Amino acid sequence: MTFICKEKKFIFIHLYKNAGSSIKSSLRKRVRNDLDVFSSVGIDKFDSLTFKIIRRLIDINLYSPSNKIIYEYYKNRTHLNYKTLEKYLKNIHEFKTFAIVRNPFSWQVSQYKFMMSNPKLPHHKFIRDLNFNEYIKWRCARQNKVTQTSYLSSIENTFKISKLIKIEDLNNEWVNILKWIDIPYVELAHKNVTQEDDQEYKKFYDNESSEILINNFREDFKNFNYSCSLK
């Protein structure tokens, strides 16, 4: 779930498997996420609770009274990309915004391992029968591909996010992030962590899978300054 704090005027855009759960867990110890009203609402209750949710959105003065943002919220499985926020958040330019990015090679290994190990995820039954090369081919199919660039870019396909932090730098940058958003120090939690050392992800790739990933996620390698080499 995206973290919107009206009190401190910041938005953390949660890109899955990029330490988002850890960051949100830590921030909740200091400030309220104004979208937490959704956390206990099941999608099966959507119709009956629509009015209540819209009223909540109006109460926190973030959104126009429209069902569309609710639809987007559930369609994205609680992850709202920047384009959606930009479209429906009336005053997003008044907020400090930040997100975490990750080496595309490591990012896909983390997603694969997480989907393999978590039976509650929608694609678990399908993914568990795939080897890693098959997973990469599936992930890079047009209907399944979501790059970090596309998730974090604006409607005009530019970056309007105030800060993009590499996950590799997060521990060192955490204190600076808290100061920037005017939050008293809180230790960075570690939630939904897929255990792997710094180089383990490289072992998952062969020439075929690495070439497919590079060709399909080239914009991420370029925009976030990651090497296309696994050496």
Side-chain angles (χ1 to χ4, degrees), residues 2 18-19 25 56 70 89 106-107 109 141 143 165 173 200:
T2 295
N18 280 7
S25 176
R56 174 59 178 163
I70 314 299
L89 185 57
S106 172
W107 191 42
V109 170
Q143 67 272 22
I165 301 110
E173 288 293 326
E200 183 191 7

Side-chain angles (χ1 to χ4, degrees), residues 19-50:
S21 297
S22 299
I23 290 172
K24 291 184 299 182
S25 176
S26 299
L27 292 176
R28 283 191 180 101
K29 295 177 181 179
R30 294 288 184 263
V31 290
R32 184 182 72 177
N33 182 358
D34 287 312
L35 287 184
D36 274 346
V37 66
F38 298 121
S39 61
S40 61
V41 178
I43 191 168
D44 58 318
K45 304 288 184 62
F46 172 75
D47 290 333
S48 63
L49 289 176
T50 295

Side-chain angles (χ1 to χ4, degrees), residues 105-118:
F105 286 125
S106 172
W107 191 42
Q108 290 307 319
V109 170
S110 184
Q111 289 185 53
Y112 176 67
K113 293 171 69 175
F114 189 60
M115 286 191 283
M116 287 278 285
S117 63
N118 193 334

Side-chain angles (χ1 to χ4, degrees), residues 1-173:
M1 181 193 298
T2 295
F3 197 110
I4 299 179
C5 181
K6 183 183 176 184
E7 176 191 358
K8 295 292 185 177
K9 286 287 186 180
F10 75 82
I11 301 172
F12 168 60
I13 301 173
H14 181 185
L15 184 54
Y16 45 88
K17 298 311 298 172
N18 280 7
S21 297
S22 299
I23 290 172
K24 291 184 299 182
S25 176
S26 299
L27 292 176
R28 283 191 180 101
K29 295 177 181 179
R30 294 288 184 263
V31 290
R32 184 182 72 177
N33 182 358
D34 287 312
L35 287 184
D36 274 346
V37 66
F38 298 121
S39 61
S40 61
V41 178
I43 191 168
D44 58 318
K45 304 288 184 62
F46 172 75
D47 290 333
S48 63
L49 289 176
T50 295
F51 180 73
K52 182 184 295 186
I53 293 172
I54 291 173
R55 285 296 301 272
R56 174 59 178 163
L57 292 173
I58 296 171
D59 288 344
I60 62 177
N61 195 30
L62 289 176
Y63 301 108
S64 302
S66 167
N67 287 2
K68 185 64 175 175
I69 189 67
I70 314 299
Y71 168 75
E72 293 288 345
Y73 175 86
Y74 282 117
K75 186 182 74 172
N76 288 283
R77 300 283 182 180
T78 75
H79 292 274
L80 295 173
N81 61 33
Y82 189 89
K83 291 182 179 69
T84 300
L85 290 169
E86 186 181 31
K87 187 174 181 180
Y88 298 106
L89 185 57
K90 296 183 293 185
N91 56 338
I92 191 172
H93 62 282
E94 298 177 3
F95 287 73
K96 294 178 179 179
T97 54
F98 70 103
I100 309 299
V101 296
R102 187 172 187 169
N103 184 316
F105 286 125
S106 172
W107 191 42
Q108 290 307 319
V109 170
S110 184
Q111 289 185 53
Y112 176 67
K113 293 171 69 175
F114 189 60
M115 286 191 283
M116 287 278 285
S117 63
N118 193 334
K120 295 181 180 179
L121 295 177
H123 295 301
H124 170 74
K125 290 183 179 180
F126 172 70
I127 296 298
R128 69 182 181 183
D129 294 326
L130 301 183
N131 61 42
F132 186 69
N133 278 29
E134 292 169 335
Y135 163 76
I136 289 295
K137 291 176 182 177
W138 172 82
R139 172 58 72 191
C140 291
R142 183 176 181 180
Q143 67 272 22
N144 301 321
K145 185 173 73 172
V146 178
T147 65
Q148 296 173 91
T149 295
S150 65
Y151 196 92
L152 298 174
S153 58
S154 68
I155 294 172
E156 295 86 4
N157 290 320
T158 60
F159 288 118
K160 295 182 180 179
I161 295 178
S162 309
K163 285 185 183 292
L164 291 172
I165 301 110
K166 290 186 175 183
I167 196 171
E168 299 86 354
D169 300 330
L170 179 57
N171 286 331
N172 292 332
E173 288 293 326

Side-chain angles (χ1 to χ4, degrees), residues 102 106 109 113 194-204:
R102 187 172 187 169
S106 172
V109 170
K113 293 171 69 175
T194 304
Q195 296 296 328
E196 59 184 78
D197 61 44
D198 291 342
Q199 303 299 316
E200 183 191 7
Y201 69 87
K202 297 181 178 180
K203 301 174 184 177
F204 282 76

